[in-house]
Amino acid sequence: KAGVTQTPRYLIKTRGQQVTLSCSPISGHRSVSWYQQTPGQGLQFLFEYFSETQRNKGNFPGRFSGRQFSNSRSEMNVSTLELGDSALYLCASSLDGADTQYFGPGTRLTVL
Amino acid sequence: GENVEQHPSTLSVQEGDSAVIKCTYSDSASNYFPWYKQELGKGPQLIIDIRSNVGEKKDQRIAVTLNKTAKHFSLHITETQPEDSAVYFCAAKGWDYKLSFGAGTTVTVRA
């Protein structure tokens, strides 16, 4: 069974731009969670989607948003990029959110 | 919300020795405790997990123990090998499906 895939793997943007990251979960998984990983703050929860609905949200500003499609694929968007948004963005999928989460390889975002 | 503390932040062991990483959590409602291993340039990989109705779980050289009363859980790696060198994260999850992670432990296995 294929694992979680994320595209693109690397991204370079400038301040003020916006960016969209994509995540394809493991087949059959309906829950997708997004995390931000930085050296200073570690792994921080952004939001979780289940059946196209945002079920939970972390403590991030409204510039961070996401959505989930009917095939469980998910996208996250960051608008008005800031230097501090440079991070590894990880997506994780699970069957229903209550069980094991499997992570993708991440998207490395650099904001210049 | 849940707060997970992880110690130590770095750990250097001789090949063949054991490594122990400890985590504490704050929310008594948390019921699922996974451990992830992250190698350079990769996403975290699940290595073992334990649920709150179990006190100990073992998988070959890796074991996890959970003390619900004290709200702490530990990862034990025996007979360490160079390929065990990585960053290890503990995490806790409760009713809200959100994983709260520890800060990570960088493990170095010296040959």
Side-chain angles (χ1 to χ4, degrees), chain A residues 9 33 35 37 43 45 48 55-57 88 90 96-105, chain B residues 31-32 36 38 41-46 49 51 89 93 96-103:
Chain A
R9 292 293 313 278
S33 297
Y35 296 84
Q37 186 175 27
L43 276 152
F45 173 78
E48 187 244 355
R55 192 162 57 176
N56 203 352
K57 190 178 189 307
L88 180 67
L90 292 158
D96 61 6
D99 67 337
T100 304
Q101 291 188 12
Y102 297 92
F103 281 82
Chain B
N31 56 21
Y32 175 66
Y36 288 88
Q38 187 174 26
K42 297 184 178 180
Q45 286 185 293
L46 180 76
D49 57 7
R51 296 192 182 273
F89 293 95
K93 182 162 67 170
D96 59 359
Y97 310 112
K98 178 176 73 173
L99 272 177
S100 297
F101 285 86

Side-chain angles (χ1 to χ4, degrees), chain B residues 1-6 22-33 66-73 90-96 98-102:
Chain B
E2 175 66 275
N3 181 43
V4 178
E5 294 192 356
Q6 182 173 347
K22 299 183 178 182
C23 290
T24 60
Y25 61 98
S26 61
D27 188 353
S28 56
S30 289
N31 56 21
Y32 175 66
F33 307 91
L66 171 66
N67 183 326
K68 285 192 298 181
T69 304
K71 289 191 281 189
H72 67 70
F73 54 114
C90 63
K93 182 162 67 170
W95 60 271
D96 59 359
K98 178 176 73 173
L99 272 177
S100 297
F101 285 86

Side-chain angles (χ1 to χ4, degrees), chain B residues 3-22:
Chain B
N3 181 43
V4 178
E5 294 192 356
Q6 182 173 347
H7 299 281
S9 57
T10 61
L11 183 59
S12 180
V13 297
Q14 190 69 36
E15 183 178 357
D17 287 350
S18 296
V20 180
I21 304 170
K22 299 183 178 182

